[in-house]
Amino acid sequence: MRLPFSKKDSNVIELPKPFSSHSREDSSSSSNASTSLSLTAQAPIKAKRKRANAYQLERLQSCYDANPFPSNDERQALATELNMSPNSVRIWYQNKRQALRNHEKAQSLSP
């Protein structure tokens, strides 16, 4: 088995260079490269999870009862009405459909 690093001197082992997310590094702009590396090294702060309030849940449930597979336009309108992101409405619908499938599966397995 060959290791991905090379031996130049018997006492010194040179490790491979770390992976860079940049597709191309320009040696002439080394100051920009160091700046961008320091900025990308910081992990972004993840937004805290926002739970739907009682009114939002009630409205989502009533819309789900009417149509479990809303169109993009319907989801967008509902998100605007409820002051939620369209993605959070989409995820809520996905979770609701999956919970229903899991419930039906559990009912069919129990005697």
Side-chain angles (χ1 to χ4, degrees):
M1 173 184 242
R2 188 164 187 256
L3 299 175
F5 44 82
S6 61
K7 289 177 81 173
K8 288 187 177 181
D9 187 37
S10 62
N11 295 333
V12 178
I13 298 175
E14 185 179 318
L15 298 174
K17 294 182 180 183
F19 174 75
S20 174
S21 62
H22 301 292
S23 60
R24 167 175 69 138
E25 288 190 27
D26 190 2
S27 61
S28 64
S29 63
S30 61
S31 64
N32 286 345
S34 64
T35 305
S36 65
L37 288 177
S38 66
L39 293 176
T40 57
Q42 298 173 355
I45 297 173
K46 188 174 179 180
K48 194 170 183 179
R49 178 175 176 239
K50 296 180 184 109
R51 297 195 52 128
N53 63 32
Y55 171 74
Q56 290 171 328
L57 290 175
E58 183 181 325
R59 183 73 174 107
L60 285 165
Q61 183 63 50
S62 67
C63 291
Y64 178 84
D65 292 340
N67 180 11
F69 293 92
S71 67
N72 287 339
D73 293 336
E74 291 170 330
R75 278 199 319 263
Q76 179 68 43
L78 188 58
T80 303
E81 176 190 335
L82 298 177
N83 197 24
M84 296 172 71
S85 70
N87 191 48
S88 61
V89 172
R90 180 180 61 86
I91 297 297
W92 186 90
Y93 269 86
Q94 286 178 349
N95 290 343
K96 187 69 175 175
R97 289 190 297 260
Q98 188 61 45
L100 184 62
R101 283 187 215 109
N102 291 344
H103 181 71
E104 289 171 349
K105 185 176 179 181
Q107 290 296 324
S108 68
L109 293 177
S110 63

